[in-house]
Amino acid sequence: MEEIPATRLERRKARTRAALVDAACDLLATPQGTEASISDITNRADVGLGSFYNHFASKSELFEVAISTVLELHGRLFDEACAGLDDPAEVFAAGVRMTLRMRVSHPKVAHTMIQVGFRYLDSPEGLAPRAYRDLEAAVASGRLDIDNTAMAVACTAGALFGCIHLLEHDPSLDTDSVADDLAASLLTMFGLSKSEAREVSRRPLNQPALT
């Protein structure tokens, strides 16, 4: 069936909703985070205050959509970085390396990770479910030695948050080097030898699109 073109009103409503979500995504990456007011959101979106409630029942509802949007982007970038990789240990390392590099390539996502924190671990989107999948695959194949996958994912998230914070506060550090070293350290903790972990963590990395 041929799709019926949206009316001008529907297109305008869609643009307004998208502007509100984009504004909330931007604010998630700032110190204000979810504490931003509805006025802050509508001002950033350049829409009228009254328009807000035509699309969202509350500020919390909007921020849930914004967080989901950021997580979806993170997951898509992860999939791009890991496309074509067969070694489950390399897939895990690529996800760690790509995520830390987002501080430069996709700062909004990286800053949102810090603001949202360990809520990432409970989300069905983004890095956490992929980390569970890839670590379990690495264990099943014998590449890694992990007794508790949930603990391994929590350790990975904590290490990523800590290194993002470290890079933010020490501009002398090189993001790529820290990302590769972190991946190697985690692989060593999860059972690879230091030499192999270092080799795996320095293989060519697919670069996700800058979108």
Side-chain angles (χ1 to χ4, degrees), residues 146-163:
I146 298 170
D147 294 325
N148 187 315
T149 306
M151 186 179 298
V153 172
C155 289
T156 300
L160 283 167
F161 297 154
C163 284

Side-chain angles (χ1 to χ4, degrees), residues 85-175:
L85 301 182
D86 296 321
D87 178 2
E90 183 179 1
V91 171
F92 170 76
V96 170
R97 296 165 69 199
M98 176 277 298
T99 297
L100 204 51
R101 280 171 166 80
M102 287 196 305
R103 175 184 167 272
V104 176
S105 64
H106 296 78
K108 185 190 298 185
V109 178
H111 291 151
T112 299
M113 286 179 64
I114 294 297
Q115 292 295 327
V116 177
F118 286 98
R119 287 183 60 184
Y120 261 72
L121 295 179
D122 302 321
S123 173
E125 304 165 282
L127 182 63
R130 290 167 171 83
Y132 274 97
R133 177 198 66 198
D134 298 331
L135 287 173
E136 288 171 353
V139 171
S141 68
R143 284 291 279 151
L144 299 180
D145 182 10
I146 298 170
D147 294 325
N148 187 315
T149 306
M151 186 179 298
V153 172
C155 289
T156 300
L160 283 167
F161 297 154
C163 284
I164 291 173
H165 179 82
L166 178 65
L167 288 166
E168 290 289 320
H169 288 80
D170 189 349
S172 69
L173 293 173
D174 177 69
T175 298

Side-chain angles (χ1 to χ4, degrees), residues 40-123:
D40 292 330
I41 297 166
T42 55
N43 287 338
R44 185 176 285 261
D46 195 25
V47 302
L49 185 62
S51 298
F52 180 92
Y53 292 103
N54 292 330
H55 300 275
F56 299 99
S58 67
K59 184 181 71 170
S60 296
E61 180 184 332
L62 170 58
F63 275 119
E64 286 301 317
V65 173
I67 290 170
S68 179
T69 299
V70 175
L71 287 170
E72 182 180 347
L73 172 59
H74 190 185
R76 180 174 64 79
L77 295 172
F78 178 97
D79 293 339
E80 290 179 17
C82 299
L85 301 182
D86 296 321
D87 178 2
E90 183 179 1
V91 171
F92 170 76
V96 170
R97 296 165 69 199
M98 176 277 298
T99 297
L100 204 51
R101 280 171 166 80
M102 287 196 305
R103 175 184 167 272
V104 176
S105 64
H106 296 78
K108 185 190 298 185
V109 178
H111 291 151
T112 299
M113 286 179 64
I114 294 297
Q115 292 295 327
V116 177
F118 286 98
R119 287 183 60 184
Y120 261 72
L121 295 179
D122 302 321
S123 173

